[in-house]
Amino acid sequence: MKKTSPAVSCSNCSVRRLCLPVGLSDGDIERLEQVTRKKKVVRAGETLFRAGDPFDSLYAIRSGSFKSAVIGADGDTQVTHFALPGELLGLDAYSGGMHPGYAEALEESSVCVLPFTQLEGLAQQVPALQKQIYSIFSEELKQENEALLLLGKRSADSRLAALLVNISSRYSRRGYSASDFVLSMQRIDIANYLGLTAETVSRLLSRFQKQELIRVQGRSVTILDPIALSELAGTHCSYEN
Amino acid sequence: MKKTSPAVSCSNCSVRRLCLPVGLSDGDIERLEQVTRKKKVVRAGETLFRAGDPFDSLYAIRSGSFKSAVIGADGDTQVTHFALPGELLGLDAYSGGMHPGYAEALEESSVCVLPFTQLEGLAQQVPALQKQIYSIFSEELKQENEALLLLGKRSADSRLAALLVNISSRYSRRGYSASDFVLSMQRIDIANYLGLTAETVSRLLSRFQKQELIRVQGRSVTILDPIALSELAGTHCSYEN
DNA sequence: CGGAAAATTGAGAACGATCAACCAAGGTGG
DNA sequence: CCACCTTGGTTGATCGTTCTCAATTTTCCG
């Protein structure tokens, strides 16, 4: 007897190689699909969750993009992450039972809703899923550490270069062009993420263009000199310790 | 029949309320103790692991303190965390199978070595342990987000104030004085962690003292005006959960 | 179209870095 | 025991990157 698979499922999802199904057998993926049944579409500017919302689900991005941010005691916000398809949102809400920050769609986006109690239960039975969850947590921590290095040690131009290189490589992994892409976030979000101001970001983009490192047209970016850009970002070779 | 418990174990550990045993039944703690058998003593300045070391264990701090840092491609380092008893080191090494950064003891310290395969296996059988591991990962992510906010948005004096308040409340949670403590790290580590220079940290400490917010004598700090300091830090509430 | 939001560009100010001198504590060897 | 050196910390003077304030221009979208 042949199964009628749902219109959207992990098995035929375009980001299954970057998402929870990594390392899972076909059988396990089928069980995961029982958990990922519910989808949700979020339009540009809408939030998936806000700071203080109770935690019950994780969200896996199917398409689109998000910014996550935390809100300080005095009300100012720090963009902590730009999230692309295949990535999980809401991991920092497990401890404490509520979301410490919010996630806002930067464009029309679609996510899988993952009720955490169910996911937890399944992970208890499927070691490969367990491992993948650890792996995602760990990877996230590693990336945050990189972000700390960026904010703590690098100059403004180095930070912006690093972001461009980062986004480029992430698009590339997802099968899109590494040299031509559209920044789905606005300048002020980039600035906020990098600990700069919108003016500085704007000036730097103009300068990078003048230096023929990139070409910018509004939100469209073309990377002309990836090597030089990586060097600026400080992520190329390692000499001296 | 009465069990002879080992000299050092989770059950009689002074930080069991902050560490992995949280939420575990006595029976489960006994099973956890099978995993946490091995201890290690690290002297001041020695590393628990270095960047690139293969990942096989997590380390739970029993006593002392550590700094963790990541090393950028061009060799400069960013201190990402100051770790106190009850906290876990090495979580960011799971994905990738090697430590992306190093952990160095700031004073004579003692840790439990937790072989991760064993811990993983036990967590598979003990849901409460599983939850606690998730919780620790999640908490760590939340703290890193706070650190990003600090580096991205706050002024130098606000950053230093936040660190003092943070350390104060963490000592307090561990049963030590919230107002009198010794900074186990040197000025340059504080500066590195906060994205500043040692000179700026030194100047600010002097200024705080002149403003009668604190008293500093070398590495000994007394907090005189916790309210004003918290306001400076931009976080009017303590870190308790 | 027209109005609002976003992005760019310019000029001046400010915060923190850099460079440099100095001090205190601890260790080492003569 | 003291001269010497090293390391960590403090303080001062100056410089430069990035912010702030402000004026336009461009883009977005009803």
Side-chain angles (χ1 to χ4, degrees):
Chain A
M1 179 164 111
K2 197 169 181 191
K3 269 224 177 89
T4 55
S5 62
V8 282
S9 70
C10 291
S11 343
N12 64 17
C13 180
S14 67
V15 291
R16 70 180 176 285
R17 284 188 180 73
L18 304 164
C19 194
L20 276 173
V22 169
L24 268 60
S25 69
D26 288 352
D28 289 339
I29 291 187
E30 269 181 38
R31 300 180 70 185
L32 179 59
E33 282 168 358
Q34 303 304 310
V35 177
T36 62
R37 273 254 173 74
K38 203 169 150 201
K39 316 294 174 199
K40 193 172 177 182
V41 171
V42 190
R43 275 165 300 184
E46 288 182 350
T47 57
L48 204 48
F49 51 80
R50 290 168 207 267
D53 282 359
F55 170 72
D56 38 42
S57 306
L58 295 178
Y59 301 90
I61 307 177
R62 293 176 59 83
S63 67
S65 54
F66 288 81
K67 65 171 174 184
S68 334
V70 290
I71 301 173
D74 56 353
D76 62 0
T77 70
Q78 169 73 34
V79 173
T80 53
H81 192 56
F82 294 119
L84 295 184
E87 296 174 348
L88 254 47
L89 290 169
L91 288 169
D92 56 352
Y94 183 85
S95 91
M98 62 155 83
H99 292 279
Y102 68 87
E104 180 187 318
L106 295 168
E107 58 196 306
E108 169 111 358
S109 302
S110 154
V111 298
C112 294
V113 182
L114 312 171
F116 197 77
T117 353
Q118 279 179 255
L119 187 64
E120 210 173 6
L122 184 59
Q124 202 74 36
Q125 295 161 37
V126 180
L129 178 59
Q130 190 63 269
K131 281 178 194 294
Q132 179 60 5
I133 293 175
Y134 287 143
S135 193
I136 288 171
F137 263 118
S138 179
E139 185 65 31
E140 197 94 355
L141 276 176
K142 207 196 301 183
Q143 278 172 26
E144 299 246 321
N145 283 341
E146 292 297 323
L148 285 177
L149 176 69
L150 206 67
L151 289 186
K153 291 274 163 310
R154 310 286 197 206
S155 62
D157 52 3
S158 179
R159 292 183 209 181
L160 183 57
L163 178 64
L164 292 172
V165 170
N166 181 347
I167 288 182
S168 161
S169 76
R170 282 158 76 198
Y171 274 128
S172 170
R173 264 199 88 184
R174 284 163 181 77
Y176 300 105
S177 164
S179 60
D180 282 87
F181 50 86
V182 173
L183 296 169
S184 57
M185 70 295 288
Q186 47 187 63
R187 298 289 191 266
I188 197 169
D189 293 324
I190 296 177
N192 190 317
Y193 174 67
L194 297 175
L196 303 170
T197 59
E199 292 94 324
T200 300
V201 170
S202 185
R203 273 185 255 274
L204 287 173
L205 285 172
S206 302
R207 210 191 74 198
F208 285 180
Q209 179 159 243
K210 202 167 292 170
Q211 295 171 325
E212 302 195 331
L213 299 173
I214 62 172
R215 239 180 61 77
V216 207
Q217 182 55 251
R219 295 193 178 180
S220 309
V221 173
T222 305
I223 297 197
L224 301 174
D225 193 341
I227 313 281
L229 211 58
S230 296
E231 269 171 30
L232 236 184
T235 57
H236 50 116
C237 56
S238 51
Y239 56 90
E240 218 221 347
N241 197 342
Chain B
M1 181 167 124
K2 200 170 181 192
K3 270 227 178 82
T4 56
S5 62
V8 283
S9 70
C10 293
S11 342
N12 65 16
C13 180
S14 68
V15 291
R16 69 180 175 286
R17 285 191 179 72
L18 305 163
C19 194
L20 275 174
V22 170
L24 266 60
S25 69
D26 287 352
D28 289 338
I29 290 186
E30 269 182 38
R31 301 180 70 185
L32 179 59
E33 282 169 357
Q34 304 305 310
V35 177
T36 62
R37 274 253 173 74
K38 204 171 149 202
K39 317 293 173 200
K40 195 172 175 180
V41 171
V42 191
R43 275 164 301 182
E46 287 182 351
T47 57
L48 205 48
F49 50 80
R50 290 168 208 267
D53 282 359
F55 170 73
D56 37 43
S57 306
L58 295 178
Y59 301 89
I61 307 176
R62 292 176 60 82
S63 67
S65 53
F66 289 81
K67 66 171 173 182
S68 334
V70 290
I71 301 173
D74 55 355
D76 61 2
T77 70
Q78 169 73 34
V79 174
T80 54
H81 193 56
F82 294 119
L84 295 184
E87 296 175 348
L88 253 47
L89 290 169
L91 288 169
D92 56 353
Y94 183 84
S95 90
M98 61 155 81
H99 292 280
Y102 67 87
E104 180 187 318
L106 295 168
E107 57 195 307
E108 170 113 357
S109 303
S110 155
V111 299
C112 295
V113 182
L114 313 171
F116 197 77
T117 353
Q118 279 178 256
L119 187 64
E120 210 173 5
L122 184 59
Q124 201 75 35
Q125 295 161 38
V126 180
L129 177 59
Q130 191 62 271
K131 282 178 194 295
Q132 179 61 5
I133 294 175
Y134 288 144
S135 194
I136 288 171
F137 263 118
S138 179
E139 186 64 30
E140 197 93 353
L141 276 177
K142 208 197 299 183
Q143 277 172 25
E144 299 248 318
N145 283 340
E146 293 297 324
L148 285 177
L149 176 68
L150 205 67
L151 289 185
K153 292 275 161 309
R154 310 285 197 205
S155 62
D157 52 3
S158 178
R159 292 183 208 181
L160 183 57
L163 178 64
L164 292 172
V165 170
N166 182 349
I167 288 182
S168 162
S169 75
R170 282 158 76 199
Y171 274 129
S172 169
R173 265 199 88 182
R174 284 163 181 77
Y176 299 106
S177 165
S179 59
D180 282 271
F181 50 87
V182 173
L183 296 169
S184 57
M185 69 295 288
Q186 43 186 67
R187 299 288 190 267
I188 198 169
D189 293 325
I190 296 177
N192 189 319
Y193 174 67
L194 297 175
L196 303 169
T197 59
E199 291 95 325
T200 300
V201 169
S202 185
R203 271 184 256 272
L204 288 174
L205 286 173
S206 301
R207 210 190 75 198
F208 285 180
Q209 178 158 242
K210 202 168 293 167
Q211 295 172 326
E212 303 195 328
L213 300 173
I214 61 173
R215 238 179 60 77
V216 208
Q217 183 57 253
R219 293 191 180 180
S220 308
V221 173
T222 305
I223 297 198
L224 301 175
D225 192 341
I227 313 280
L229 211 57
S230 295
E231 267 171 32
L232 236 185
T235 57
H236 312 269
C237 44
S238 52
Y239 285 65
E240 266 89 313
N241 270 345

